[in-house]
């Protein structure tokens, strides 16, 4: 018998009542132009228009709302969780230190600092920064917040699933980016409970396959390094609890190439007028790589973040911008 899932629908509904409304009820609509190009009925759920341009505001705001002691908070982040935590902590007067890698997106780091949090750079990737944050928290009087382990991060992300249920017709498939797991596991938990006919597909980057490989193998598989532009998916060391959360929720998985992620970003910009980061484009990338699997079906995907530096925009979206000019 499978273990009961850590996420309960009652808590997800509580999160939807508690989270700052600025993060809720984000746009979700049929993108006809891009859908016709791919050959699907495409629904985009846009999480990039709020104050931190990322879905992580939901889980962070719910988590900080539940804090009931005076300890400062620590977290590790590739950038978006750090911004979300900084926003929520500033609102409630809670101290926060964010650990990030020396290669982290400088736009995201600047925004974390502007929101009042302290930033410590350590190591060459997210997992190295997370290990340092855990060490410091263990030695001091601080709480370490771990995305996808702390249940509030899943409960907040799961509110996206509640909003998808408001669509006039249920989706045949929802393609969800798989990083540490909060976004996928939160949404999938709601969809499996309330829309069981909807297939839920996890999408990762070929250059960071640890989560999907671990789920396929039924055990944690770690990698020495990652190599992907999708920094939000660049997990080397999966969280065991996140893998356990995936049990019974995954209908299929895809690992998409860097080349197709870039193509998806450009098509989203060209046909939807939206700037998204690589992690947010992997659902569309999966459609481009596996068109025959989804042709003619109603497919949704979550554009989960949109924090690009000007240099990244020129490098990755430059061909589209030049054509439009």
């Amino acid at each position: 018998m499978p273990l009961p899932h850590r996420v309960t629908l009652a808590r997800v509904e509580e999160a939807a009542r508690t989270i700052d409304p600025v993060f809720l009820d984000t746009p979700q609509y049929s993108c006809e132009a891009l859908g016709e190009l791919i050959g699907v009925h495409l629904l985009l759920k846009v999480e990039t228009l709020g104050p931190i341009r990322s879905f992580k505001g939901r889980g962070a705001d719910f988590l900080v709302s539940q804090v009931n002691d005076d300890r400062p908070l620590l977290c590790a982040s590739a950038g978006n969780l750090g911004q979300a935590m900084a926003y929520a902590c500033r609102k409630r007067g809670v101290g926060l230190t964010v650990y990030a890698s020396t290669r982290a997106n400088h736009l995201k780091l600047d925004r974390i600092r502007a929101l009042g949090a302290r930033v410590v750079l350590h190591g060459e990737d997210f997992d190295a920064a997370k290990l340092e944050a855990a060490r410091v928290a263990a030695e001091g009087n601080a709480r370490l917040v771990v995305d996808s382990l702390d249940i509030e991060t899943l409960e907040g992300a799961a509110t996206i699933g509640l909003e998808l249920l408001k669509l006039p017709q249920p989706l045949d498939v929802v393609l969800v980016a798989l990083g540490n797991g909060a976004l996928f596991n939160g949404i999938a938990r709601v969809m499996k409970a309330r829309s069981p006919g909807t297939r839920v597909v996890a999408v990762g980057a070929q250059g960071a396959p640890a989560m999907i490989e671990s789920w396929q193998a039924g055990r944690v598989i770690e990698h020495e390094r990652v190599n992907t532009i999708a920094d939000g998916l660049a997990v080397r060391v999966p969280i065991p609890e996140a893998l356990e959360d995936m049990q019974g929720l995954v209908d299929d998985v895809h690992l998409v190439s860097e080349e197709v992620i870039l193509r998806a970003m450009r098509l989203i910009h060209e046909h939807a007028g939206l700037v998204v980061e690589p992690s947010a484009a992997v659902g569309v990338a999966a459609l481009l790589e596996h068109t025959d699997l989804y042709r003619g079906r109603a497919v949704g995907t979550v554009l989960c973040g949109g924090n690009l530096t000007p240099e990244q925009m020129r490098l990755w979206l430059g061909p589209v911008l030049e054509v439009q000019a």
Side-chain angles (χ1 to χ4, degrees), residues 14-35:
E14 180 184 349
R17 294 189 297 269
T18 304
I19 293 168
D20 189 328
V22 75
F23 297 119
L24 298 174
D25 294 310
T26 53
Q28 50 189 33
Y29 61 90
S30 174
C31 185
E32 294 183 15
L34 184 51

Side-chain angles (χ1 to χ4, degrees), residues 10-286:
R11 281 280 290 179
V12 176
E13 290 166 351
E14 180 184 349
R17 294 189 297 269
T18 304
I19 293 168
D20 189 328
V22 75
F23 297 119
L24 298 174
D25 294 310
T26 53
Q28 50 189 33
Y29 61 90
S30 174
C31 185
E32 294 183 15
L34 184 51
E36 289 173 1
L37 178 70
I38 298 172
V40 301
H41 303 287
L42 179 62
L43 185 286
L44 299 180
K45 176 70 164 166
V46 185
E47 292 289 305
T48 64
L49 303 180
I52 61 164
R53 294 187 281 187
S54 166
F55 82 96
K56 289 185 184 289
R58 297 174 184 252
D61 193 76
F62 189 49
L63 185 150
V64 179
S65 77
Q66 308 295 297
V67 169
N68 56 13
D69 62 40
D70 295 328
R71 289 182 299 164
L73 300 181
L74 306 181
C75 72
S77 176
N80 285 344
L81 176 70
Q83 290 182 80
M85 287 294 298
Y87 186 95
C89 286
R90 184 181 68 174
K91 183 170 67 173
R92 295 176 175 86
V94 177
L96 174 69
T97 299
V98 178
Y99 285 76
S101 86
T102 57
R103 299 181 178 181
N105 177 315
H106 68 77
L107 171 68
K108 297 178 183 181
L109 298 180
D110 288 345
R111 288 299 303 147
I112 293 169
R113 295 184 183 101
L115 289 165
R118 175 173 172 253
V119 174
V120 176
L121 301 182
H122 181 88
E124 294 189 353
D125 61 23
F126 163 77
D127 284 297
K130 185 166 77 170
L131 283 173
E132 178 66 6
R135 183 192 68 78
V136 172
E139 291 180 354
N141 184 33
R143 174 184 170 182
L144 178 65
V145 173
V146 180
D147 192 25
S148 301
L149 177 59
D150 284 283
I151 193 64
E152 297 91 345
T153 61
L154 281 78
E155 293 163 339
T159 60
I160 296 172
L162 293 182
E163 292 169 17
L164 290 173
L165 294 175
K166 298 176 184 178
L167 294 168
Q169 299 295 327
L171 295 168
D172 296 320
V173 182
V174 60
L175 296 161
V176 185
L178 178 64
N180 272 306
L183 181 65
F184 178 86
N185 287 324
I187 292 174
R189 174 72 175 98
V190 171
M191 300 308 288
K192 288 301 176 186
R194 297 281 178 84
S195 184
T198 299
R199 289 175 57 80
V200 188
V201 179
V203 187
Q206 286 180 1
M211 279 292 289
I212 285 179
E213 289 179 351
S214 297
W215 176 78
Q216 291 171 324
R219 60 183 177 85
V220 172
I221 294 177
E222 300 182 7
H223 282 251
E224 290 186 5
R225 60 184 60 85
V226 291
N227 183 23
T228 179
I229 59 173
D231 59 354
L233 310 184
V235 175
R236 283 194 300 108
V237 184
I239 296 170
E241 290 84 352
L243 295 172
E244 293 173 8
D245 290 335
M246 292 174 69
Q247 300 308 309
L249 300 182
V250 185
D251 290 300
D252 203 354
V253 296
H254 299 305
L255 287 169
V256 293
S257 69
E258 302 292 289
E259 177 185 357
V260 180
I261 292 173
L262 282 172
R263 184 182 172 210
M265 291 172 63
R266 291 165 182 165
L267 288 173
I268 291 166
H269 186 262
E270 180 179 355
H271 294 283
L274 297 169
V275 173
V276 300
E277 58 193 76
S279 302
V282 295
V284 172

